[in-house]
Amino acid sequence: MTTQQIHTEIEQFFNAYCLAYNQQDSQSVARLFARPSGIAQQGKYTHFSSPDATAKNMHELCQWYAEQGFLQASFKINHLFLQGSQHAIADIDWQIERKQQAPWLFHTTYNLIKTSQGWLILLCTAYEESFT
């Protein structure tokens, strides 16, 4: 597989990830995480040891987004660091549009692994969050 093909696959992965959030489909979001996996943000780490733990967290996150006036998410891949053909680190700029409020702007770095199911998230780290 060429580097360009891997880049294309990863961009398609994030398109699916963003679409799942835009549809507020927490089950689809959760299926894009490896088992185990985790999220680091604001100095805390949340470990997902099972599919149920991931699904519960994503459900709560989608509910919280809805309560905050979520309209849609969009992203831009800033950097993509390939680590062979089965591992990568992606640094993403996110923008969350909200009803009658300024958008949220933040960055997230994703450690990815390619499995028989395709690309999955091992760890995401949210940083430089600007919730105005």
Side-chain angles (χ1 to χ4, degrees), residues 87-108:
H87 301 274
I89 298 172
D91 183 67
I92 307 286
D93 278 347
W94 286 100
Q95 180 166 313
I96 307 293
E97 298 293 331
R98 302 182 297 157
K99 296 174 190 167
Q100 302 175 356
Q101 299 177 63
W104 286 324
L105 307 173
F106 60 96
H107 303 274
T108 305

Side-chain angles (χ1 to χ4, degrees), residues 50-105:
S50 70
D52 288 342
T54 309
K56 180 181 182 293
N57 181 275
M58 296 310 147
H59 176 74
E60 290 170 358
L61 181 60
C62 285
Q63 276 189 318
W64 185 80
Y65 275 171
E67 291 166 4
Q68 302 304 312
F70 178 90
L71 292 172
Q72 70 177 6
S74 60
F75 72 96
K76 175 184 161 240
I77 298 175
N78 284 325
H79 303 285
L80 184 57
F81 305 98
L82 300 183
Q83 299 172 311
S85 62
Q86 294 181 302
H87 301 274
I89 298 172
D91 183 67
I92 307 286
D93 278 347
W94 286 100
Q95 180 166 313
I96 307 293
E97 298 293 331
R98 302 182 297 157
K99 296 174 190 167
Q100 302 175 356
Q101 299 177 63
W104 286 324
L105 307 173

Side-chain angles (χ1 to χ4, degrees), residues 12-84:
Q12 290 170 345
F13 169 84
F14 282 108
N15 283 330
Y17 185 68
C18 186
L19 178 62
Y21 269 112
N22 284 338
Q23 294 174 342
Q24 294 288 276
D25 183 352
S26 60
Q27 291 297 319
S28 291
V29 173
R31 281 192 290 273
L32 297 173
F33 280 76
R35 305 321 181 266
S37 60
I39 294 177
Q41 62 185 5
Q42 300 172 343
K44 298 177 185 173
Y45 172 73
T46 303
H47 182 75
F48 304 130
S49 59
S50 70
D52 288 342
T54 309
K56 180 181 182 293
N57 181 275
M58 296 310 147
H59 176 74
E60 290 170 358
L61 181 60
C62 285
Q63 276 189 318
W64 185 80
Y65 275 171
E67 291 166 4
Q68 302 304 312
F70 178 90
L71 292 172
Q72 70 177 6
S74 60
F75 72 96
K76 175 184 161 240
I77 298 175
N78 284 325
H79 303 285
L80 184 57
F81 305 98
L82 300 183
Q83 299 172 311

